[in-house]
Amino acid sequence: MIANLVQLAAEEEQSPLIPPGPELLVGTIAFAIVFFFFWKKLLPNINKVLEERRAAIEGGIEEAETMKVEAQSVLEQYKAQLAEARHEAARLRQEAQEQGAALIAEMRAEGQRQREEIVAAGHTQIEADRKAASTALRQDVGKLATELAGKLVGESLEDHARQSRVIDRFLDELEEKAEASR
């Protein structure tokens, strides 16, 4: 058994985890060359790209903040203009209502004036027609009364002055009777 252990110990000197010396030296030199290449060439480019990306992100954030402030300012201006436009629309609407009310009042007054003129003209026309009818009626009644009186009396009542007096007296008596009956 001891012989087996010695043999195992001799084999363990050549462990697969620990490479032989020359391989270890070549691997370390290769690693140093690759590390130096990365450190001198690749690492500055990576840092440069990372710095540019960081600057772009920070610039984008700052630009977004600026745009947000500007948008807020534009929104406030829009709200102010909208409020002013609403106020102006309300004022214009009020003015239109006042003008409409004034126009309606003016049109009513004009209509009232025209109605009064028409009524006055109608009264004048009625009065003129009444006078014309009265005159025509007096003449017709006078002729008929004269003819009737002439037939009753049997003589002609052609005397114009006398005829007028008789007619006027007759019509006056009729008017007095009509007024008394009212």
PDB file of all heavy atoms in Angstrom, residues 101-113:
ATOM      1  N   ALA A 101     -81.170  93.932 -29.212  1.00  0.00           N
ATOM      2  CA  ALA A 101     -82.255  94.488 -28.399  1.00  0.00           C
ATOM      3  C   ALA A 101     -82.551  95.921 -28.828  1.00  0.00           C
ATOM      4  O   ALA A 101     -83.722  96.319 -28.923  1.00  0.00           O
ATOM      5  CB  ALA A 101     -81.877  94.427 -26.922  1.00  0.00           C
ATOM      6  N   ALA A 102     -81.498  96.703 -29.091  1.00  0.00           N
ATOM      7  CA  ALA A 102     -81.701  98.087 -29.535  1.00  0.00           C
ATOM      8  C   ALA A 102     -82.395  98.105 -30.895  1.00  0.00           C
ATOM      9  O   ALA A 102     -83.299  98.921 -31.124  1.00  0.00           O
ATOM     10  CB  ALA A 102     -80.360  98.817 -29.617  1.00  0.00           C
ATOM     11  N   LEU A 103     -81.993  97.221 -31.784  1.00  0.00           N
ATOM     12  CA  LEU A 103     -82.607  97.145 -33.108  1.00  0.00           C
ATOM     13  C   LEU A 103     -84.080  96.741 -32.996  1.00  0.00           C
ATOM     14  O   LEU A 103     -84.936  97.316 -33.668  1.00  0.00           O
ATOM     15  CB  LEU A 103     -81.846  96.146 -33.987  1.00  0.00           C
ATOM     16  CG  LEU A 103     -82.298  96.039 -35.440  1.00  0.00           C
ATOM     17  CD1 LEU A 103     -82.128  97.378 -36.147  1.00  0.00           C
ATOM     18  CD2 LEU A 103     -81.498  94.972 -36.154  1.00  0.00           C
ATOM     19  N   ILE A 104     -84.368  95.789 -32.119  1.00  0.00           N
ATOM     20  CA  ILE A 104     -85.755  95.364 -31.924  1.00  0.00           C
ATOM     21  C   ILE A 104     -86.579  96.524 -31.367  1.00  0.00           C
ATOM     22  O   ILE A 104     -87.698  96.775 -31.824  1.00  0.00           O
ATOM     23  CB  ILE A 104     -85.818  94.126 -30.997  1.00  0.00           C
ATOM     24  CG1 ILE A 104     -85.285  92.900 -31.736  1.00  0.00           C
ATOM     25  CG2 ILE A 104     -87.236  93.877 -30.503  1.00  0.00           C
ATOM     26  CD1 ILE A 104     -85.105  91.669 -30.869  1.00  0.00           C
ATOM     27  N   ALA A 105     -86.014  97.238 -30.364  1.00  0.00           N
ATOM     28  CA  ALA A 105     -86.731  98.377 -29.799  1.00  0.00           C
ATOM     29  C   ALA A 105     -86.957  99.448 -30.861  1.00  0.00           C
ATOM     30  O   ALA A 105     -88.049 100.034 -30.944  1.00  0.00           O
ATOM     31  CB  ALA A 105     -85.950  98.945 -28.619  1.00  0.00           C
ATOM     32  N   GLU A 106     -85.945  99.687 -31.671  1.00  0.00           N
ATOM     33  CA  GLU A 106     -86.065 100.684 -32.742  1.00  0.00           C
ATOM     34  C   GLU A 106     -87.129 100.260 -33.755  1.00  0.00           C
ATOM     35  O   GLU A 106     -87.949 101.079 -34.188  1.00  0.00           O
ATOM     36  CB  GLU A 106     -84.709 100.849 -33.424  1.00  0.00           C
ATOM     37  CG  GLU A 106     -84.672 101.908 -34.504  1.00  0.00           C
ATOM     38  CD  GLU A 106     -83.295 102.001 -35.126  1.00  0.00           C
ATOM     39  OE1 GLU A 106     -82.298 101.969 -34.405  1.00  0.00           O
ATOM     40  OE2 GLU A 106     -83.251 102.116 -36.371  1.00  0.00           O
ATOM     41  N   MET A 107     -87.117  98.980 -34.116  1.00  0.00           N
ATOM     42  CA  MET A 107     -88.097  98.481 -35.078  1.00  0.00           C
ATOM     43  C   MET A 107     -89.510  98.542 -34.485  1.00  0.00           C
ATOM     44  O   MET A 107     -90.470  98.861 -35.195  1.00  0.00           O
ATOM     45  CB  MET A 107     -87.752  97.047 -35.499  1.00  0.00           C
ATOM     46  CG  MET A 107     -86.444  96.945 -36.277  1.00  0.00           C
ATOM     47  SD  MET A 107     -86.388  97.977 -37.739  1.00  0.00           S
ATOM     48  CE  MET A 107     -87.491  97.093 -38.780  1.00  0.00           C
ATOM     49  N   ARG A 108     -89.646  98.265 -33.189  1.00  0.00           N
ATOM     50  CA  ARG A 108     -90.958  98.368 -32.552  1.00  0.00           C
ATOM     51  C   ARG A 108     -91.438  99.811 -32.574  1.00  0.00           C
ATOM     52  O   ARG A 108     -92.611 100.078 -32.850  1.00  0.00           O
ATOM     53  CB  ARG A 108     -90.886  97.864 -31.112  1.00  0.00           C
ATOM     54  CG  ARG A 108     -90.913  96.374 -31.011  1.00  0.00           C
ATOM     55  CD  ARG A 108     -90.963  95.908 -29.579  1.00  0.00           C
ATOM     56  NE  ARG A 108     -90.956  94.455 -29.531  1.00  0.00           N
ATOM     57  CZ  ARG A 108     -90.561  93.761 -28.509  1.00  0.00           C
ATOM     58  NH1 ARG A 108     -90.129  94.371 -27.421  1.00  0.00           N
ATOM     59  NH2 ARG A 108     -90.578  92.451 -28.543  1.00  0.00           N
ATOM     60  N   ALA A 109     -90.541 100.732 -32.223  1.00  0.00           N
ATOM     61  CA  ALA A 109     -90.917 102.145 -32.230  1.00  0.00           C
ATOM     62  C   ALA A 109     -91.308 102.577 -33.639  1.00  0.00           C
ATOM     63  O   ALA A 109     -92.310 103.295 -33.823  1.00  0.00           O
ATOM     64  CB  ALA A 109     -89.757 102.999 -31.705  1.00  0.00           C
ATOM     65  N   GLU A 110     -90.533 102.133 -34.627  1.00  0.00           N
ATOM     66  CA  GLU A 110     -90.849 102.477 -36.021  1.00  0.00           C
ATOM     67  C   GLU A 110     -92.183 101.863 -36.425  1.00  0.00           C
ATOM     68  O   GLU A 110     -93.009 102.505 -37.079  1.00  0.00           O
ATOM     69  CB  GLU A 110     -89.729 101.982 -36.951  1.00  0.00           C
ATOM     70  CG  GLU A 110     -89.955 102.269 -38.415  1.00  0.00           C
ATOM     71  CD  GLU A 110     -89.929 103.748 -38.752  1.00  0.00           C
ATOM     72  OE1 GLU A 110     -89.381 104.547 -37.977  1.00  0.00           O
ATOM     73  OE2 GLU A 110     -90.494 104.097 -39.806  1.00  0.00           O
ATOM     74  N   GLY A 111     -92.419 100.623 -36.019  1.00  0.00           N
ATOM     75  CA  GLY A 111     -93.689  99.965 -36.315  1.00  0.00           C
ATOM     76  C   GLY A 111     -94.852 100.695 -35.638  1.00  0.00           C
ATOM     77  O   GLY A 111     -95.919 100.879 -36.238  1.00  0.00           O
ATOM     78  N   GLN A 112     -94.645 101.116 -34.388  1.00  0.00           N
ATOM     79  CA  GLN A 112     -95.672 101.852 -33.659  1.00  0.00           C
ATOM     80  C   GLN A 112     -95.968 103.174 -34.363  1.00  0.00           C
ATOM     81  O   GLN A 112     -97.126 103.554 -34.519  1.00  0.00           O
ATOM     82  CB  GLN A 112     -95.210 102.107 -32.207  1.00  0.00           C
ATOM     83  CG  GLN A 112     -96.231 102.770 -31.330  1.00  0.00           C
ATOM     84  CD  GLN A 112     -97.390 101.848 -31.004  1.00  0.00           C
ATOM     85  OE1 GLN A 112     -97.302 100.641 -31.114  1.00  0.00           O
ATOM     86  NE2 GLN A 112     -98.502 102.444 -30.621  1.00  0.00           N
ATOM     87  N   ARG A 113     -94.909 103.866 -34.778  1.00  0.00           N
ATOM     88  CA  ARG A 113     -95.082 105.142 -35.465  1.00  0.00           C
ATOM     89  C   ARG A 113     -95.837 104.936 -36.781  1.00  0.00           C
ATOM     90  O   ARG A 113     -96.781 105.669 -37.095  1.00  0.00           O
ATOM     91  CB  ARG A 113     -93.718 105.792 -35.741  1.00  0.00           C
ATOM     92  CG  ARG A 113     -93.808 107.202 -36.343  1.00  0.00           C
ATOM     93  CD  ARG A 113     -92.452 107.714 -36.787  1.00  0.00           C
ATOM     94  NE  ARG A 113     -91.813 106.910 -37.804  1.00  0.00           N
ATOM     95  CZ  ARG A 113     -92.151 106.902 -39.093  1.00  0.00           C
ATOM     96  NH1 ARG A 113     -93.138 107.617 -39.530  1.00  0.00           N
ATOM     97  NH2 ARG A 113     -91.492 106.147 -39.949  1.00  0.00           N
TER      98      ARG A 113
END
